[in-house]
Amino acid sequence: MQFEDAYKEVYEIVKPKYKLFTAGPVACFPEVLEIMKVQMFSHRAKEYKQMHVDTVERLKKFLEVEKGEVLLFPSSGTGVMEASIRNGISKKGKVLVTIIGAFGKRYKQVVESNGRTAITLEYEPGKAVKPEDLDEILKKNPDVEAVTITYNETSTGVLNPLPELAKVAKEHDKLVFVDAVSAMGGADIKFTKWGIDVVFGSSQKAFGVPPGLAIGAFSERFIEIANKAEEKGWYFDIPRYIKVQNEKQGPPSTPAMPQEFGLNVVLRIIEKMGGKEKWLDMYKKRSEMIRNGVKDIGLEILAEPGYESPTITAVLTPEGIKGDQVYNAMRERGFELAKGYGEGIKEKTFRIGNMGYMTFEDIQEMLKNLKEVIDELKAKI
């Protein structure tokens, strides 16, 4: 390298110091980091087109998109959240937003900031949306056009019962918009079978790829509505994205090529591991190991029984100890967890993510250190 000193200066700032158990971005698979080192070339070249088409087809299989389209966006998942509203909801239309934490509240903000009306079904942190409650509020609000569901609430570690909720929404003939940012790649998604109209995720969570790439799947019904929608904007005009993808085998604007290469590698890793079921079972075992370990330490988790997330666990701190104290003490030991997040629970929780590249030995080591940290902090109370 001609300017190796420039590289070294930056590396000193960002070099790896911790084992990551974060809410994202997460540790990346070595194979992902390796493919992302490939020199860039034109995104209109045949090699990129081949890679893009292959990635989309692999995602369709993974997400079980039998009818509809999968698109890749150079953005965070929140970009597709906004696209769902601008493309799928009429001006001044109503949306039922289900809220079980901070990211459900974000969907509400997105709805309202785009001039639509949000009707909310909200629960206290740690609880999941119940199908019977959704049915009741939809009976009272028959004019809503869509229901938004946070599949996996990153702030509370709760996994919503998505198949059951989508079924209720469809019984009321509503569009179903799913924020799967911390679920996609770690929890099952059967897009067409469950009747989902929009689902979106991000590269930096359960797929274990650096941030910068959002994934969205869109139903035929949603696309039909989007074709007639007005003032969709330009960047997230879904019908235009589909048209360009069909014509040019790529997105309208410059894609996040390295991240897309990395995602393709992960999808191939999943295949070589034995497929989606084996991959998701790995996530289930990781999360169970963390929850059991946390309980062995004497701590409680925030999620109600039966609705625990397979990708992140929100842990309640003992009386007299704040979540930040646990986070900082673990960081001193070389482990990056995630701070508590969200109104009312920020100080009394910390979170342990199990997304991306890690081993079961890493989890054991983290739990051993967590026990020691909790014991030390209790001794100071």
Side-chain angles (χ1 to χ4, degrees):
M1 289 188 290
Q2 185 179 355
F3 300 102
E4 191 170 353
D5 55 337
Y7 164 81
K8 287 181 177 178
E9 288 167 10
V10 175
Y11 184 77
E12 280 304 309
I13 300 170
V14 301
K15 65 183 178 183
K17 306 178 188 71
Y18 310 100
K19 289 191 174 180
L20 299 185
F21 292 84
T22 64
V26 301
C28 302
F29 288 82
E31 297 85 352
V32 167
L33 297 176
E34 195 64 30
I35 195 64
M36 291 181 71
K37 288 162 59 177
V38 169
Q39 184 59 274
M40 289 295 93
F41 52 89
S42 171
H43 65 291
R44 299 303 180 203
K46 65 178 183 179
E47 291 83 2
Y48 171 73
K49 292 179 179 182
Q50 179 184 346
M51 176 58 58
H52 181 84
V53 170
D54 185 69
T55 306
V56 168
E57 288 305 311
R58 289 176 184 275
L59 282 168
K60 279 187 174 181
K61 181 181 177 183
F62 187 82
L63 301 174
E64 301 187 36
V65 179
E66 296 162 21
K67 295 180 180 179
E69 298 284 351
V70 168
L71 301 173
L72 299 174
F73 304 85
S75 80
S76 68
T78 307
V80 191
M81 181 185 284
E82 181 156 283
S84 70
I85 302 303
R86 292 183 69 91
N87 286 261
I89 305 299
S90 64
K91 287 184 178 182
K92 302 186 184 301
K94 294 181 181 179
V95 180
L96 176 60
V97 181
T98 62
I99 300 174
I100 62 169
F103 292 95
K105 291 179 180 178
R106 177 178 294 186
Y107 224 138
K108 179 177 183 285
Q109 291 175 322
V110 169
V111 168
E112 293 176 338
S113 67
N114 280 285
R116 279 68 168 179
T117 300
I119 309 297
T120 59
L121 173 61
E122 187 167 358
Y123 294 78
E124 64 180 89
K127 302 297 182 183
V129 180
K130 304 304 184 294
E132 58 271 23
D133 295 341
L134 180 59
D135 182 56
E136 185 179 344
I137 195 169
L138 283 172
K139 286 176 181 174
K140 293 177 181 177
N141 296 275
D143 57 341
V144 300
E145 297 174 24
V147 176
T148 74
I149 301 165
T150 310
Y151 190 7
N152 190 81
E153 177 52 68
T154 317
S155 66
T156 63
V158 171
L159 186 76
N160 264 320
L162 179 57
E164 293 88 344
L165 297 176
K167 182 174 182 291
V168 170
K170 285 300 163 186
E171 286 170 354
H172 289 267
D173 196 31
K174 306 305 177 187
L175 292 169
V176 177
F177 297 167
V178 180
D179 171 356
V181 169
S182 62
M184 187 180 289
D188 197 12
I189 296 173
K190 299 183 188 297
F191 181 82
T192 301
K193 182 178 180 180
W194 293 350
I196 299 169
D197 292 289
V198 178
V199 65
F200 55 89
S202 298
S203 55
Q204 79 278 10
K205 301 286 187 175
F207 283 124
V209 175
L213 181 68
I215 301 148
F218 306 89
S219 72
E220 291 177 335
R221 181 184 177 190
F222 177 87
I223 295 165
E224 185 179 338
I225 291 169
N227 278 323
K228 300 172 185 174
E230 299 176 353
E231 298 180 17
K232 299 185 284 285
W234 190 89
Y235 195 77
F236 288 109
D237 181 336
I238 300 304
R240 189 173 64 85
Y241 249 87
I242 294 168
K243 183 175 184 291
V244 174
Q245 179 162 280
N246 289 338
E247 291 175 354
K248 298 186 177 181
Q249 292 79 56
S253 54
T254 309
M257 291 169 66
Q259 285 87 342
E260 195 170 327
F261 300 163
L263 177 58
N264 194 287
V265 165
V266 170
L267 293 168
R268 289 168 187 264
I269 289 172
I270 292 170
E271 187 180 86
K272 293 177 188 301
M273 280 180 59
K276 176 177 172 179
E277 191 175 331
K278 288 279 184 69
W279 173 267
L280 296 180
D281 187 57
M282 173 192 74
Y283 266 104
K284 182 183 177 184
K285 287 176 179 175
R286 283 182 184 179
S287 60
E288 286 176 348
M289 185 175 180
I290 288 171
R291 289 197 302 273
N292 291 335
V294 162
K295 289 173 183 176
D296 288 344
I297 293 170
L299 302 175
E300 295 180 4
I301 67 170
L302 183 61
E304 63 175 311
Y307 299 94
E308 301 91 346
S309 163
T311 61
I312 191 163
T313 303
V315 185
L316 292 163
T317 56
E319 192 70 32
I321 297 173
K322 292 184 177 181
D324 277 3
Q325 291 176 277
V326 179
Y327 169 83
N328 291 328
M330 287 296 285
R331 209 164 191 261
E332 289 175 6
R333 289 167 170 257
F335 297 89
E336 179 88 22
L337 306 186
K339 294 181 180 180
Y341 191 98
E343 188 179 342
I345 59 171
K346 184 177 180 180
E347 290 194 351
K348 63 181 183 181
T349 62
F350 62 92
R351 295 172 297 157
I352 305 172
N354 56 272
M355 293 175 276
Y357 181 68
M358 68 176 60
T359 65
F360 289 104
E361 289 75 23
D362 292 333
I363 295 173
Q364 289 174 335
E365 185 185 4
M366 179 275 297
L367 289 169
K368 176 179 176 294
N369 278 268
L370 179 61
K371 183 181 187 309
E372 292 172 2
V373 161
I374 295 297
D375 288 343
E376 289 171 4
L377 290 172
K378 280 183 175 179
K380 294 176 182 178
I381 297 175

